[in-house]
Amino acid sequence: MERRGNMMDYRPDIKVVDATIRDGGLVNNFFFEDQFVKELYEANIKAGVDYMEFGYKASKDLFKREEFGDWKFCDEEDIRRIVGDNDSNLKIAVMADVGRTDFEKDIIPKSESVIDLIRVATYIHQMPAALEMIEYCHKMGYETSCNIMAVSTARESDIDQALELLGKSSVDVIYLVDSYGSLYPEQIRELTHKYQTVADKYGKQIGIHAHNNQQLAFANTIESCTYGASYLDGTMSGMGRGAGNCMMEMLMGFLKNPKYRIIPVLRFVEKQITKLKDEGVVWGYDVPYLCTGILNVHPRSAIAASKENNRNYADFYIGLWDKE
Amino acid sequence: MERRGNMMDYRPDIKVVDATIRDGGLVNNFFFEDQFVKELYEANIKAGVDYMEFGYKASKDLFKREEFGDWKFCDEEDIRRIVGDNDSNLKIAVMADVGRTDFEKDIIPKSESVIDLIRVATYIHQMPAALEMIEYCHKMGYETSCNIMAVSTARESDIDQALELLGKSSVDVIYLVDSYGSLYPEQIRELTHKYQTVADKYGKQIGIHAHNNQQLAFANTIESCTYGASYLDGTMSGMGRGAGNCMMEMLMGFLKNPKYRIIPVLRFVEKQITKLKDEGVVWGYDVPYLCTGILNVHPRSAIAASKENNRNYADFYIGLWDKE
């Protein structure tokens, strides 16, 4: 496997993607105060972050508008309420879940939108629907990425086929996603190599989105980066579902490009993240997440255990054996 | 660099070392209740752990006996109070700091002791004194390891010389130690390769002791293992100075040898570690530790910030620039 870059210089292909509102919104049903989102937007600009993901483009037929904050839906006027015309170098991203987005209704032409990148999230068995959305968004003028979720439970031959389909599509970035936080660094390197080989063949770039069940989100992100990934997802203090994500403050400490600055991130964390935590919003590493990560299963039972403050860790672990 | 082993099989050379009392004792001045130590000893036996480090062999001339719990000194009768004659497969280890141990007085012949392994901890400029202790302990009949601390701030040529000296000594195991939690996985791989090359030349084994400042303790431990390290240090829930260590529960989830069992570890954590935490004993990842880790400095200022619950992270980070 070929290593890219080194510990002294930096690679200009690297892009940092802040997913705090999108993955963090899974913790609080997207009920963020505008002040939080505005300060995050400003912190990202100052920190040199390349993309800020504002949330999902969720179907209003499938999800009740009043049960979620604005960022579950990311209406154009809501994003513009924060960013205006986004007169900055920070690009705006949203996520669109296959089967949960009315893309032909809710995704307007890029010429009318402040959004730059649409990230299509899909399970591997939904690839045809994902490709349809990717081509639609591409034709509407957007940058696109495809995030294939839960690959730690997928067959390798299926991953190979999905990557070939994406290689031949209009997608710009193919994301390696460790949905269950179950992959070890050496597995991340193998998968990165697999993704990168297809990406190089077809002129695409790859990205990495990691979860922190085994406290490996940062390690896996920088390992994937070292072996090729250009798009690196992080969130402020790792805010995200369950064990959360790769922490932006860690990424900023690691990256060598002088455009990246850790101080605006630390200032945002000390002001806005500590406030959220003081208010009782909970995410981050805990033993039940380690258990689901080790066993490579969805974290939903760990989220429930964490909410109930269930500390019968051994019984919880044993209970997972029958749920696989 | 050569990878050893794979993700399916296991390597019989691997030894797991529980350092909970020794590194964890730095959090509570070694004031553990006997019940805690006894249950830890029993959990380690059930979990298949290979060595349990009970604490330090500290000089009673340098440290006042009444200011510390028993495990700062590890008198023979105190260890025997817990383990009797240690009729088990779990070996007993203690740490002896160069310059802080009256080894000729306090280290008795192995034939009279229940201790198996003496771990000599040294800074790189103290190598001659470390070698003197190693040869003394070896002649007394003990297994020995040498833990060269703070190598992230040492010159590479000095590390090379120290490794050569150790190669020619009677030491059994040479430890790679990331004292400041500042090393990234790719650096750990490089250093592992360096240590392993000397170890192979002289018939030694190598070990890894990692700290969790950047949430890389587990990742660095398994990376070092993948590229050669046989002795893997862990502590229950990572209990250890500052950001703590590699978590035993993570190691047990990763290792493939069926003799290793996670359930006794989880039971110990849910009973004894949650109790310690509920009593207000604090360790583990926090932003100030990330800051000292990124800047590769001693965590003492971060420990102070954490104790004062200082959450002015950005100012703390900026303040570290002048302390280097």
Side-chain angles (χ1 to χ4, degrees):
Chain A
M1 264 181 284
E2 193 197 347
R3 185 169 174 242
R4 304 193 177 195
N6 57 58
M7 289 294 292
M8 188 59 65
D9 206 354
Y10 69 87
R11 280 168 31 205
D13 60 297
I14 288 183
K15 308 285 180 198
V16 173
V17 180
D18 168 53
T20 305
I21 302 295
R22 203 273 306 160
D23 213 321
L26 298 172
V27 180
N28 67 354
N29 283 337
F30 305 90
F31 286 113
F32 291 98
E33 291 180 13
D34 274 10
Q35 187 67 21
F36 183 98
V37 184
K38 275 184 188 162
E39 289 192 20
L40 177 59
Y41 172 71
E42 284 157 15
N44 279 330
I45 291 171
K46 283 185 191 160
V49 167
D50 300 281
Y51 291 83
M52 174 171 166
E53 191 179 39
F54 269 72
Y56 285 95
K57 274 279 184 192
S59 161
K60 288 165 193 161
D61 287 340
L62 294 175
F63 301 97
K64 287 185 188 153
R65 188 65 187 78
E66 61 276 17
E67 288 179 6
F68 299 93
D70 293 340
W71 313 109
K72 175 90 171 174
F73 307 96
C74 285
D75 288 338
E76 189 70 24
E77 60 270 25
D78 290 324
I79 300 178
R80 286 185 187 268
R81 190 176 77 227
I82 305 296
V83 309
D85 292 332
N86 184 29
D87 183 21
S88 79
N89 290 323
L90 177 70
K91 291 185 174 181
I92 308 292
V94 294
M95 182 162 276
D97 271 347
V98 167
R100 301 182 191 181
T101 303
D102 302 322
F103 60 93
E104 287 165 315
K105 188 174 84 182
D106 290 333
I107 294 178
I108 60 176
K110 164 63 193 147
S111 57
E112 300 163 26
S113 175
V114 77
I115 296 168
D116 298 284
L117 165 66
I118 297 190
R119 311 215 297 172
V120 174
T122 183
Y123 290 104
I124 203 156
H125 65 274
Q126 301 168 312
M127 280 308 299
L131 291 163
E132 183 182 50
M133 277 177 63
I134 288 163
E135 297 306 335
Y136 180 88
C137 297
H138 176 74
K139 276 187 198 132
M140 296 295 265
Y142 295 96
E143 301 172 33
T144 57
S145 74
C146 185
N147 296 34
I148 314 173
M149 298 183 288
V151 288
S152 59
T153 60
R155 287 162 20 116
E156 282 157 304
S157 55
D158 287 348
I159 299 175
D160 289 334
Q161 284 185 44
L163 292 175
E164 275 297 316
L165 288 169
L166 286 169
K168 291 171 184 156
S169 80
S170 304
V171 82
D172 299 296
V173 186
I174 307 170
Y175 257 86
L176 171 55
V177 185
D178 180 17
S179 300
Y180 300 159
S182 67
L183 295 170
Y184 295 105
E186 58 188 296
Q187 297 172 308
I188 287 286
R189 287 196 294 275
E190 296 284 347
L191 283 165
T192 296
H193 180 65
K194 183 193 281 289
Y195 281 53
Q196 193 65 54
T197 303
V198 176
D200 287 346
K201 179 174 157 194
Y202 291 105
K204 314 291 189 191
Q205 288 189 290
I206 75 167
I208 172 77
H209 180 86
H211 279 275
N212 209 31
N213 295 60
Q214 304 198 71
Q215 285 197 356
L216 291 171
F218 175 52
N220 283 342
T221 300
I222 63 179
E223 282 300 293
S224 185
C225 173
T226 298
Y227 290 89
S230 307
Y231 282 65
L232 313 179
D233 282 15
T235 69
M236 295 291 178
S237 287
M239 187 180 187
R241 183 165 62 181
N245 301 96
C246 172
M247 296 194 196
M248 185 62 78
E249 50 269 44
M250 292 178 176
L251 264 188
M252 289 288 139
F254 173 76
L255 293 170
K256 299 288 180 287
N257 187 333
K259 87 168 197 143
Y260 294 123
R261 297 199 163 85
I262 192 173
I263 297 295
V265 172
L266 292 176
R267 289 215 192 282
F268 181 82
V269 168
E270 74 190 26
K271 184 170 174 199
Q272 291 291 352
I273 294 291
T274 56
K275 185 162 164 271
L276 270 196
K277 291 201 165 177
D278 289 347
E279 288 165 5
V281 184
V282 175
W283 71 89
Y285 174 80
D286 197 359
V287 182
Y289 299 121
L290 172 65
C291 297
T292 59
I294 290 171
L295 294 174
N296 191 19
V297 295
H298 194 284
R300 65 177 70 84
S301 55
I303 293 170
S306 181
K307 269 191 186 157
E308 297 159 8
N309 198 24
N310 173 1
R311 303 200 294 192
N312 297 315
Y313 302 136
D315 289 345
F316 176 79
Y317 190 85
I318 292 166
L320 288 172
W321 295 345
D322 294 329
K323 286 185 189 156
E324 282 184 271
Chain B
M1 262 182 284
E2 193 195 349
R3 187 169 173 242
R4 303 191 178 197
N6 57 58
M7 289 294 292
M8 187 58 65
D9 206 355
Y10 69 86
R11 280 168 31 204
D13 61 296
I14 288 184
K15 308 285 179 198
V16 173
V17 180
D18 168 54
T20 305
I21 302 296
R22 203 273 306 160
D23 214 321
L26 298 171
V27 180
N28 67 353
N29 283 336
F30 305 90
F31 286 113
F32 291 98
E33 291 181 13
D34 274 10
Q35 187 66 19
F36 184 98
V37 183
K38 274 183 189 162
E39 289 192 21
L40 178 59
Y41 172 71
E42 284 156 16
N44 280 330
I45 291 171
K46 284 185 190 160
V49 167
D50 299 282
Y51 291 83
M52 173 171 165
E53 191 179 38
F54 270 72
Y56 284 95
K57 273 281 184 193
S59 162
K60 287 164 193 161
D61 286 340
L62 294 176
F63 301 96
K64 288 184 186 154
R65 188 65 185 77
E66 63 276 17
E67 287 178 7
F68 299 92
D70 293 340
W71 313 109
K72 174 89 171 175
F73 307 97
C74 284
D75 287 337
E76 189 69 24
E77 60 270 24
D78 290 324
I79 300 178
R80 286 184 187 269
R81 190 175 77 228
I82 305 296
V83 309
D85 292 331
N86 185 30
D87 183 21
S88 78
N89 290 323
L90 177 70
K91 291 184 173 180
I92 308 291
V94 294
M95 182 161 276
D97 271 347
V98 167
R100 301 182 192 181
T101 303
D102 303 321
F103 61 94
E104 289 165 315
K105 189 174 85 183
D106 290 333
I107 294 178
I108 60 176
K110 164 64 193 146
S111 56
E112 301 163 25
S113 175
V114 77
I115 296 167
D116 299 284
L117 165 67
I118 296 189
R119 310 215 297 173
V120 174
T122 183
Y123 289 105
I124 202 157
H125 65 272
Q126 301 168 311
M127 281 309 299
L131 291 163
E132 184 182 48
M133 277 177 63
I134 288 163
E135 297 306 334
Y136 180 88
C137 296
H138 176 73
K139 277 187 197 131
M140 296 295 266
Y142 293 96
E143 300 172 34
T144 56
S145 74
C146 185
N147 296 33
I148 314 173
M149 298 183 289
V151 289
S152 59
T153 61
R155 287 161 21 116
E156 282 157 303
S157 55
D158 287 348
I159 299 175
D160 289 335
Q161 284 185 45
L163 292 175
E164 275 297 317
L165 288 169
L166 285 170
K168 291 171 183 157
S169 79
S170 304
V171 83
D172 299 296
V173 187
I174 307 171
Y175 257 85
L176 170 55
V177 185
D178 180 17
S179 300
Y180 301 158
S182 66
L183 295 170
Y184 295 104
E186 59 188 295
Q187 297 173 308
I188 287 286
R189 287 197 293 276
E190 296 284 347
L191 283 165
T192 297
H193 180 64
K194 183 193 280 290
Y195 281 53
Q196 192 65 53
T197 303
V198 176
D200 287 346
K201 178 174 160 194
Y202 290 105
K204 313 291 189 192
Q205 288 189 290
I206 74 168
I208 173 78
H209 180 87
H211 279 275
N212 209 30
N213 296 60
Q214 304 197 70
Q215 286 198 357
L216 291 171
F218 175 53
N220 283 341
T221 299
I222 63 179
E223 281 301 293
S224 185
C225 173
T226 299
Y227 289 90
S230 307
Y231 282 65
L232 313 180
D233 282 15
T235 69
M236 295 291 179
S237 287
M239 188 182 188
R241 183 164 63 183
N245 300 97
C246 172
M247 296 193 197
M248 186 62 78
E249 50 270 43
M250 292 178 175
L251 263 188
M252 288 289 138
F254 173 76
L255 293 170
K256 298 289 180 288
N257 187 333
K259 85 168 198 144
Y260 295 123
R261 297 199 164 87
I262 193 173
I263 297 295
V265 172
L266 293 176
R267 289 217 192 281
F268 182 82
V269 168
E270 73 190 27
K271 185 172 173 196
Q272 290 290 352
I273 294 291
T274 55
K275 185 162 163 270
L276 271 194
K277 291 199 166 178
D278 289 346
E279 289 166 4
V281 183
V282 175
W283 71 88
Y285 174 81
D286 196 1
V287 182
Y289 298 121
L290 172 66
C291 297
T292 59
I294 290 172
L295 294 173
N296 190 19
V297 296
H298 193 283
R300 65 176 70 83
S301 55
I303 293 170
S306 181
K307 269 190 186 156
E308 298 159 8
N309 199 22
N310 173 0
R311 304 200 293 191
N312 297 315
Y313 303 136
D315 289 346
F316 176 79
Y317 190 85
I318 292 166
L320 288 172
W321 295 345
D322 295 329
K323 286 185 187 156
E324 283 185 90

